[in-house]
Amino acid sequence: MRRKIIAGNWKMNKTVGEALALVKDLAPLVAGKDAADVLVCPPFTALHAVKQALGGTNIGLGAQGAFWKGSGAYTSQISIPMLADVGVQYVILGHSETRGRFGVPEPDMTPDLLKTFGETDSGVNIKAQAVLAANLNPIICVGETLDERQQGHIDDIVTMQVTRALENIAPELIASHVVFAYEPVWAIGTGETCAPDEADRVCGVVRQAVAQAAGQEAADAVRIQYGGSMKPDNAADLLARPNIDGGLIGGASLKAADFAAIVAASG
Ligand code: PGA
């Protein structure tokens, strides 16, 4: 039986003060809800303060990304040892927004600007290896765009993203530390959710790809979240599906009551 994992991806939201206020509201609402691992992923600037505030709670800490080198002349980047140093346990990798695959690009997101969001499949792989080497847990996001869905490429895209993310990673490490998040790009931040049957089916495709890359044992152990407009009113239905082991929650994680309701729906 895989333990559920509910993660709040705060994205580029919350100053330190706002982050602390959210944690203060959230902690009592999820206290004692031990059926799932619960974590929040604040922006880098709030990680340290949030870690202090999480002491004595059942809420873990994740970061929204990292550079794969340990240190050096890499202006603006944050290393995995730096994240470990402030108490981070999970690192989100390959989110469609860091891959530059936005579901609804804003008018100022020209192709030229989008090139600055550069995570690729091989980048995700090298970062996953570095996260694992530091004994942290990568949350690897995969998912198709609307175009790819309409052209019938869902399973191919997701399988390729999973396979490439796992290159050169030992099956035992995958089983013990890796989390996947299936996030159809068109459902992120749009209010549109993937129908639970379909979300479960594609999470099954992710599991199948893990089996091919790392064997059935790893595939049975790996936890696969659904992400994309998960909310209090659709969470229970999604989380009850056999291949959906949790949620990666954006918008609804910014309100303590909504996030807590999703945690409650996990069991
Ligand atoms: P959303 O974001 O819940 O706002 O759709 C999910 C995510 O991008 O991780």
Side-chain angles (χ1 to χ4, degrees):
M1 182 70 179
R2 292 177 294 266
R3 187 173 160 77
K4 294 264 192 297
I5 175 165
I6 309 290
N9 175 10
W10 294 0
K11 307 193 179 185
M12 198 175 71
N13 295 291
K14 306 290 178 189
T15 60
V16 173
E18 290 164 350
L20 291 175
L22 177 51
V23 167
K24 192 165 171 240
D25 289 345
L26 181 62
L29 299 179
V30 299
K33 298 270 187 304
D34 291 327
D37 290 332
V38 179
L39 61 134
V40 293
C41 306
F44 292 125
T45 46
L47 283 171
H48 180 65
V50 166
K51 178 64 189 176
Q52 309 307 306
L54 292 179
T57 75
N58 57 337
I59 306 171
L61 187 66
Q64 297 175 25
F67 198 62
W68 67 92
K69 295 279 196 181
S71 64
Y74 306 104
T75 300
S76 90
Q77 300 301 316
I78 304 287
S79 77
I80 293 155
M82 289 171 183
L83 296 177
D85 180 49
V86 295
V88 162
Q89 301 149 289
Y90 296 85
V91 184
I92 298 173
L93 299 176
H95 192 284
S96 55
E97 288 154 13
T98 52
R99 292 179 192 254
R101 288 153 59 90
F102 290 87
V104 229
E106 316 257 327
D108 64 354
M109 290 185 177
T110 57
D112 195 38
L113 271 178
L114 285 176
K115 276 193 209 137
T116 60
F117 294 88
E119 255 184 336
T120 60
D121 286 334
S122 54
V124 170
N125 173 248
I126 199 166
K127 289 177 180 185
Q129 293 187 50
V131 167
L132 291 164
N135 205 26
L136 305 187
N137 309 281
I139 298 178
I140 301 173
C141 304
V142 300
E144 81 289 351
T145 61
L146 188 56
D147 245 23
E148 289 160 351
R149 169 164 287 264
Q150 285 167 343
Q151 288 167 27
H153 296 322
I154 310 161
D155 297 12
D156 294 346
I157 292 282
V158 163
T159 299
M160 187 186 68
Q161 289 174 334
V162 171
T163 308
R164 297 194 61 187
L166 295 180
E167 274 168 23
N168 301 313
I169 301 178
E172 307 74 54
L173 268 182
I174 295 169
S176 58
H177 283 70
V178 172
V179 177
F180 277 98
Y182 167 56
E183 299 210 309
V185 179
W186 49 271
I188 294 177
T190 57
E192 241 179 275
T193 322
C194 190
D197 282 347
E198 172 64 0
D200 184 53
R201 186 192 72 79
V202 186
C203 287
V205 171
V206 171
R207 202 173 300 286
Q208 189 55 38
V210 176
Q212 270 161 22
Q216 195 58 48
E217 217 170 296
D220 288 340
V222 103
R223 294 186 289 178
I224 303 171
Q225 301 173 312
Y226 168 78
S229 301
M230 193 186 272
K231 300 181 281 263
D233 63 359
N234 60 25
D237 199 0
L238 287 158
L239 292 169
R241 308 287 158 151
N243 274 308
I244 301 181
D245 305 314
L248 184 56
I249 295 117
S253 72
L254 298 174
K255 288 196 188 127
D258 287 354
F259 190 60
I262 295 172
V263 171
S266 70

